[in-house]
């Protein structure tokens, strides 16, 4: 009974945040945020982000990923140090949560398909999943920033990730009162065409 009440409360909280946000609006609201408040991130929101990420599509449904949520302040600071070398990515120190995306081994069929097609499906897969994480976080009122520049070996060391695995991305997560900025993007005509290149 207690469990049921907790689940009900969680769903009420989550639904309250996402009411009336269309997908097009959500896409505009998602932006890379590099200023975070001290406010901790609720565990149920992080679980919801991971759940939406779990449902991401992937080539041959290989799901070649593991998402490590780092919310322990001491470990998070170590991960932030590994990402903020050479004056880069100082916001990793501010963000209360960092998520590390680990590339997991593909199954045999998608490995063969990748080789025949000469395409790295795994990297495409984790990119899609990372964006799904960020969109879900945005829908819950959180801010994120996908980060590709960091000392991968240091992050692996701090998170006990086996040396033979790759960590293509980390994601900062937290609260921010940053205003929604106009997106700097190519025009529709530049980035798309109809019925031919
Ligand atoms: C694969 C990838 C790697 C990125 N690496 C970094 C990074 O190391 N540091 C950073 O501040 N932003 C990083 N970003 C965020 C981009 O700079 C940002 O998405 C882009 O400028 C568009 O801005 P927006 O996310 O606010 O729409 C990265 C984004 C992606 C998708």
């Amino acid at each position: 009974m207690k469990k049921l009440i907790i689940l009900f409360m969680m769903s009420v909280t989550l639904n309250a945040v996402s009411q009336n946000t269309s997908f097009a609006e959500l896409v505009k609201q998602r932006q890379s945020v590099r200023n975070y408040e001290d406010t901790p991130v609720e565990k149920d929101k992080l679980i919801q982000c991971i759940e939406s990420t779990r449902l991401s599509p992937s080539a041959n449904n290989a799901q070649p990923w593991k998402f490590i949520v780092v919310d322990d302040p001491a470990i998070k600071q170590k991960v932030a140090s590994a990402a903020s070398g050479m004056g880069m990515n100082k916001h990793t120190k501010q963000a209360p949560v960092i998520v590390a995306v680990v590339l997991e081994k593909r199954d045999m069929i998608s490995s063969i398909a990748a080789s025949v097609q000469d395409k790295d499906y795994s990297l495409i897969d984790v990119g899609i999943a990372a964006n799904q994480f960020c969109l879900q976080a945005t829908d819950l009122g959180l801010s994120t920033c996908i980060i590709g520049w960091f000392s991968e070996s240091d992050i692996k060391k701090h998170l006990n990730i086996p040396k033979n695995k790759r960590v293509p991305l980390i994601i900062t997560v937290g609260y921010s009162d940053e205003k929604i900025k106009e997106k700097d993007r190519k025009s529709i005509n530049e980035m798309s065409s109809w019925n031919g290149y």
Side-chain angles (χ1 to χ4, degrees):
M1 188 63 188
K2 207 173 159 189
K3 263 189 188 164
L4 269 177
I5 293 170
I6 293 171
L7 277 174
F8 175 70
M9 296 293 285
M10 269 172 68
S11 88
V12 168
T13 321
L14 297 175
N15 287 338
V17 181
S18 62
Q19 251 173 16
N20 300 328
T21 308
S22 72
F23 183 74
E25 205 44 53
L26 183 68
V27 168
K28 285 184 191 154
Q29 282 172 15
R30 198 250 7 116
Q31 61 186 7
S32 296
V33 165
R34 299 179 181 88
N35 286 296
Y36 293 96
E37 295 165 5
D38 289 338
T39 322
V41 179
E42 300 87 337
K43 197 159 186 165
D44 59 329
K45 289 193 177 182
L46 292 168
I47 292 169
Q48 179 63 61
C49 291
I50 293 295
E51 172 58 10
S52 294
T53 305
R54 190 177 74 83
L55 303 182
S56 298
S58 58
N60 200 42
N61 202 19
Q63 307 162 64
W65 51 60
K66 176 153 187 176
F67 283 70
I68 304 177
V69 181
V70 185
D71 65 345
D72 177 287
I75 305 173
K76 202 280 315 179
Q77 259 341 87
K78 285 186 190 167
V79 173
S81 303
S84 50
M86 298 199 287
M88 298 283 288
N89 295 322
K90 290 188 188 130
H91 56 295
T92 53
K93 296 205 163 167
Q94 246 187 10
V97 177
I98 296 179
V99 174
V101 185
V102 183
L103 206 55
E104 291 295 331
K105 224 173 151 228
R106 294 179 296 213
D107 60 292
M108 212 195 352
I109 293 176
S110 48
S111 299
I112 293 168
S115 160
V116 172
Q117 287 288 309
D118 188 23
K119 284 177 199 160
D120 191 344
Y121 292 118
S122 305
L123 277 182
I124 300 170
D125 294 339
V126 292
I128 292 170
N131 196 45
Q132 198 137 313
F133 181 99
C134 294
L135 286 171
Q136 177 61 83
T138 306
D139 195 42
L140 294 171
L142 294 164
S143 295
T144 57
C145 183
I146 297 176
I147 293 175
W149 177 278
F150 48 82
S151 163
E152 194 177 334
S153 57
D154 284 358
I155 286 189
K156 286 201 267 193
K157 187 175 72 192
H158 298 315
L159 299 179
N160 300 317
I161 298 167
K163 279 201 178 120
N164 63 339
K165 306 240 182 237
R166 297 297 315 266
V167 181
L169 299 169
I170 60 172
I171 307 169
T172 52
V173 190
Y175 284 99
S176 173
D177 59 3
E178 226 172 64
K179 295 215 163 49
I180 306 296
K181 292 179 224 134
E182 192 68 32
K183 294 219 183 296
D184 177 18
R185 296 292 193 266
K186 290 178 183 173
S187 70
I188 285 202
N189 287 342
E190 221 182 332
M191 56 71 73
S192 68
S193 56
W194 293 62
N195 306 314
Y197 184 84

